[in-house]
Amino acid sequence: MTSQNARRVAALIVVVLVPALTMIWYRAHQASAFASLELIAYPLLFGGLGIGVIAVAKRWFLGESLGDFNSGAGSFRADVAWGGALCVAYFALFFVERPLLGGVLQSRPNMELLGLMLDMRENPILLILWFGPVLWIGIALFEELLRVFMLSEMWTLSSRREWVVAAIVIAAVLVGLVHWSQGPYGIVTIAIKSLVSGTFFYYRRRLLPLVIAHVLYDGLQVGMLLLTYPR
């Protein structure tokens, strides 16, 4: 293994694997749910710090360009269009997964998010914060940046098709497991959608469509629940 590849492996362990395993362990052993203000503050804090750590690791520790995350040919309009198409694909999977897997895998309702939604109905500031910086930066940008960092660094270790596919699967499984609190159904369905995200990034090498799709998918679900959940 070359020294640069050793650095890549070290960066993947420190930036991706250790935080992910820590989150999985914490969620598996967490005794109490997060309060609404914590669900606002924690994504902004840890997401913001995570984005900074990824940028430092990519630019200064590995000596690589941040442009690698968006190196494919494209434009802002095309990125928005691809983001919308990915969101449609995610919802198509959602409606297929529900009848196929809903009766097989246990689903754990996200009572934390439900509590935040009810609080957002009464507090417009929470509503603005969640649909603004929390969703765009603390959730979508951070999670997608982490995904493309993980994939792009693993793909530099080998260009063999088998490894490319394995990297997409590994990333999808890890992303699914990080959502441990959502139960087996949430873990599996999120991992399936992550396979789509990873495959898209392999062929297009564009970060922005993944962020847009993530924002639309999460935002539309929460928005519909806010409008339809009984008062």
Side-chain angles (χ1 to χ4, degrees):
M1 180 183 292
T2 66
S3 60
Q4 182 64 8
N5 280 347
R7 282 176 169 263
R8 289 190 178 103
V9 172
L12 285 168
I13 292 173
V14 173
V15 176
V16 178
L17 190 59
V18 171
L21 292 179
T22 301
M23 178 58 71
I24 293 168
W25 181 90
Y26 179 76
R27 279 301 199 174
H29 295 82
Q30 183 183 8
S32 60
F34 290 129
S36 294
L37 288 177
E38 292 173 330
L39 289 174
I40 295 290
Y42 287 170
L44 287 176
L45 176 61
F46 293 110
L49 287 174
I51 291 169
V53 169
I54 293 170
V56 169
K58 180 74 170 176
R59 184 67 185 91
W60 302 108
F61 182 68
L62 297 175
E64 298 170 347
S65 172
L66 297 178
D68 292 346
F69 297 140
N70 226 37
S71 60
S75 64
F76 179 74
R77 284 187 177 182
D79 286 346
V80 172
W82 277 114
L86 276 172
C87 180
V88 170
Y90 294 164
F91 274 109
L93 283 172
F94 174 85
F95 288 113
V96 170
E97 292 161 346
R98 182 58 66 93
L100 292 179
L101 300 176
V104 179
L105 299 174
Q106 180 184 3
S107 178
R108 191 174 301 155
N110 192 336
M111 301 308 295
E112 293 176 338
L113 183 57
L114 177 60
L116 174 60
M117 285 168 26
L118 297 178
D119 287 343
M120 286 194 295
R121 282 178 169 178
E122 308 300 327
N123 191 336
I125 295 177
L126 292 180
L127 191 70
I128 293 170
L129 286 173
W130 196 88
F131 279 96
V134 172
L135 180 56
W136 278 92
I137 299 173
I139 297 176
L141 178 58
F142 169 60
E143 291 186 10
E144 298 305 331
L145 193 61
L146 190 66
R147 186 200 310 280
V148 301
F149 175 78
M150 182 170 24
L151 289 172
S152 60
E153 294 307 321
M154 284 196 288
W155 288 335
T156 58
L157 298 174
S158 173
S159 59
R160 295 179 58 186
R161 179 55 64 99
E162 296 84 357
W163 175 245
V164 168
V165 174
I168 293 173
V169 173
I170 291 169
V173 170
L174 192 60
V175 169
L177 287 173
V178 167
H179 294 81
W180 185 275
S181 62
Q182 297 186 28
Y185 178 82
I187 293 171
V188 172
T189 56
I190 289 171
I192 292 172
K193 294 179 183 68
S194 294
L195 292 174
V196 175
S197 305
T199 303
F200 172 85
F201 184 69
Y202 175 72
Y203 285 106
R204 300 297 302 181
R205 303 299 172 112
R206 301 288 290 181
L207 169 64
L208 184 57
L210 295 174
V211 175
I212 291 173
H214 198 145
V215 168
L216 289 175
Y217 184 72
D218 286 1
L220 286 172
Q221 288 187 87
V222 172
M224 287 301 298
L225 284 171
L226 278 171
L227 293 173
T228 60
Y229 193 82
R231 290 184 176 274

